Amino acid sequence: MKCPKCQKLVPDRSRCVECGFPFYVQLDEAAVAHLATHPAGNTVRLPSGRYISVPTDRNLEPTIMPLTRAQKKKHLLIALASLAALFVAMLIVGYLIQVGDFGFILAFVSIIGLAAGWMLVAHLMDFFNGVAEVYIDRLIETQRYRFKHQQSNAHYFGYFEQLGRVDISANDHYASIPGALYILSYGKASQRLLDMVQVDGSLDTAHVASAAE
């Protein structure tokens, strides 16, 4: 992996062996004593060993903000990738039907095609709508996780005070600061996290700065 501070390739550990940058910074217990204690939430064990109760549903009202240029580009790129996946799936389905193979592979590829079609429509809707749902929430901790059957792929999660568990990118995982406030922008139709920006200054200033990018 590449260290976000010194930009050198180093082993995937909790701390950079070159500059000592901590990849998995955690808050102390006193700093998070008031966070994520929802009676009706799901209790989860974080990488630090701390148990918290995170909400099962979002209980924040989003602010509707115009898409930034980078967010529009992200919607278009995902839509194009979905279109390519849909086209390939349709070719495979057509071939399987032609040869009379109506088994598991046909059903599997058809499901992939439907998922790609849904992503294509959702991201195009978000692009033409031109707005995003924006939340501001406090990050408690991040997690890097690998499923047993996906040893080559890692999944990254952020645990937030009110949003609960959120899928985040690898860059957000390594650069995030537990305890800090973040602006999280979602596509309205796709409900995909577009970006995660740390709040710098007042919340009003952060909204304006995010919208102006």
Side-chain angles (χ1 to χ4, degrees), residues 82-174:
S82 301
L83 179 61
L86 178 60
F87 179 72
V88 172
M90 290 176 64
L91 289 179
I92 296 175
V93 168
Y95 172 77
L96 292 175
I97 293 176
Q98 185 177 6
V99 298
D101 186 349
F102 295 96
F104 170 78
I105 297 178
L106 176 62
F108 179 74
V109 174
S110 298
I111 292 174
I112 292 178
L114 290 174
W118 177 86
M119 288 185 63
L120 171 65
V121 173
H123 284 282
L124 285 179
M125 288 176 61
D126 285 335
F127 176 81
F128 288 111
N129 285 339
V131 295
E133 294 181 341
V134 179
Y135 300 86
I136 294 182
D137 203 356
R138 189 179 304 278
L139 176 67
I140 303 172
E141 197 166 308
T142 62
Q143 179 183 21
R144 180 178 179 273
Y145 183 79
R146 273 197 178 101
F147 294 103
K148 291 183 179 180
H149 60 284
Q150 293 182 336
Q151 292 299 319
S152 60
N153 296 322
H155 301 266
Y156 301 90
F157 306 109
Y159 292 91
F160 290 84
E161 182 176 1
Q162 299 181 69
L163 289 174
R165 194 179 80 170
V166 174
D167 291 330
I168 61 176
S169 68
N171 290 336
D172 290 333
H173 166 70
Y174 290 116

